[in-house]
Amino acid sequence: MAQDRRPAGRSERRAAGERKPREERWAQLLEVATQMFYEKGYDGASLQDIADRLGMLKGSLYYYIQSKEDLLFEVISEVHREGFAVVSSASQGPGDPLDRLERTIRAHVEHACRNLVPTAVFLHELESLPTARREEILGSGHAYQGVFRDLVAEAQRDGLARPDVDPRVAGLSILGSTNWVYRWFRADGPSTPEEIGVQLAAMAVHGVATAEVLAARGAVVGA
């Protein structure tokens, strides 16, 4: 994952008299652009809108980017990179594949609930990018989705998941259902991100585990 993430069009030079360090201003630009794409959509938000919100001239944006598409690419890339780091970390460590699947789902749900605006922009606006740029973000084999797929496949190899389950379909189903929390989760709602994560993880595991494993896990929970 280590790679140079300088945005397209950014100068290597520090502008004389620049009020804020370049990286601080870039982070602010990404934050404001994310919010504007959320409020107006990619098509509705203009670079002028973003410059106005930042309190800078539109022309100054070209110090950091070459086009609005470049800016969307950087926003989407950042959301994907942060989310992938969360699920990749959660999928590793102790426990059998189903334990790690549960942990990964909980982490993904909690991250989405606490980052509703970036999550919404990612899910709404990814298709606004050209195919090649989408694939550059998602990676070969859709690495984010692959975390869930690979855990299901590993559980199958260990005899913990039913052999009739297609790991790819299971991964898509898990990611699709958990992504949807951004549409209905409310910070002042009846359930916390942790509670929602636990429930969605339990339902996902119940959908792929063998009957014997479910019985054993139920006995452990009820012990």
Side-chain angles (χ1 to χ4, degrees):
M1 295 296 291
Q3 56 181 309
D4 187 352
R5 297 301 307 163
R6 284 196 303 271
R10 294 179 68 192
S11 170
E12 293 295 333
R13 296 175 291 105
R14 178 182 291 274
E18 188 176 20
R19 292 186 177 181
K20 291 188 177 183
R22 187 172 57 195
E23 295 306 319
E24 181 182 348
R25 179 58 107 176
W26 173 244
Q28 185 181 28
L29 172 56
L30 285 184
E31 181 180 355
V32 168
T34 301
Q35 186 64 40
M36 293 302 299
F37 292 148
Y38 176 76
E39 293 175 9
K40 294 190 172 186
Y42 173 68
D43 290 334
S46 67
L47 289 180
Q48 187 65 62
D49 292 328
I50 294 167
D52 289 345
R53 183 72 63 89
L54 282 165
M56 62 192 295
L57 296 174
K58 177 182 174 182
S60 298
L61 294 179
Y62 294 106
Y63 177 78
Y64 301 92
I65 58 167
Q66 293 179 341
S67 66
K68 188 171 76 165
E69 182 186 297
D70 285 337
L71 185 53
L72 179 64
F73 175 84
E74 294 296 338
V75 166
I76 296 292
S77 295
E78 183 71 9
V79 177
H80 184 271
R81 187 162 53 251
E82 290 182 359
F84 181 75
V86 167
V87 298
S88 180
S89 176
S91 71
Q92 301 168 23
D96 66 39
L98 291 182
D99 291 332
R100 287 184 280 123
L101 179 61
E102 278 192 311
R103 186 167 66 235
T104 302
I105 293 170
R106 292 199 306 268
H108 174 64
V109 169
E110 291 171 24
H111 180 75
C113 288
R114 293 193 170 93
N115 296 273
L116 292 177
V117 169
T119 298
V121 171
F122 179 89
L123 295 173
H124 286 175
E125 305 299 348
L126 179 63
E127 294 298 319
S128 298
L129 291 170
T131 300
R133 304 203 83 177
R134 293 200 304 270
E135 292 178 349
E136 183 178 347
I137 292 169
L138 297 177
S140 176
H142 290 221
Y144 203 119
Q145 175 197 127
V147 172
F148 301 93
R149 179 192 64 227
D150 292 348
L151 285 170
V152 174
E154 187 179 345
Q156 277 185 326
R157 290 194 295 270
D158 290 354
L160 303 175
R162 301 196 320 272
D164 61 308
V165 171
D166 183 332
R168 177 179 173 275
V169 173
L172 286 167
S173 175
I174 291 168
L175 192 55
S177 62
T178 53
N179 279 345
W180 200 246
V181 297
Y182 89 96
R183 294 297 301 268
W184 51 263
F185 172 74
R186 296 293 178 270
D188 59 352
S191 300
T192 66
E194 291 83 1
E195 291 168 340
I196 294 169
V198 166
Q199 291 190 51
L200 290 179
M203 286 187 280
V205 168
H206 193 276
V208 302
T210 66
E212 294 78 11
V213 167
L214 290 175
R217 290 169 74 89
V220 170
V221 170

